[in-house]
Amino acid sequence: LDISFGLIVIQTKVNGLSRWMTDMENFLEAEQPAFGDTDLIQAQIAQSDVSSYHLTSQFKFHVYSLYNTVRSAHTVGHYEYRAPC
């Protein structure tokens, strides 16, 4: 793994995480809470629970993926570009 390629992969993952976060922000702002209709309110609560689980899972996936990529690039870069003693 070349260090410049590693940096490109990291930047791609950061961009993907940033896009995902923007999409989630737009999704969360688009949903208006229901008022007065208990069936609709209960449906929104159930949907919210599922959405919360999905958002958490997806966020963890993106962060862990980014972390592992950075860690891998750092390890490779450390060995490839170590200063001579």
Side-chain angles (χ1 to χ4, degrees):
L1 178 68
D2 178 67
I3 192 69
S4 60
F5 176 74
L7 293 174
I8 291 169
V9 171
I10 291 168
Q11 185 61 50
T12 300
K13 291 192 181 279
V14 167
N15 290 344
L17 177 58
S18 180
R19 269 192 316 275
W20 179 82
M21 290 175 68
T22 299
D23 290 346
M24 289 304 100
E25 183 178 1
N26 292 337
F27 168 76
L28 293 172
E29 289 177 355
E31 183 74 25
Q32 296 297 317
F35 293 103
D37 183 349
T38 56
D39 291 336
L40 185 55
I41 292 171
Q42 288 177 343
Q44 282 188 335
I45 290 171
Q47 182 183 13
S48 173
D49 290 344
V50 170
S51 295
S52 176
Y53 175 78
H54 177 72
L55 291 176
T56 302
S57 298
Q58 287 296 309
F59 181 72
K60 285 180 182 179
F61 168 79
H62 283 288
V63 171
Y64 289 149
S65 178
L66 179 59
Y67 169 77
N68 288 329
T69 302
V70 169
R71 188 171 165 209
S72 176
H74 171 74
T75 301
V76 170
H78 176 73
Y79 290 110
E80 284 184 11
Y81 298 101
R82 203 175 347 178
C85 298

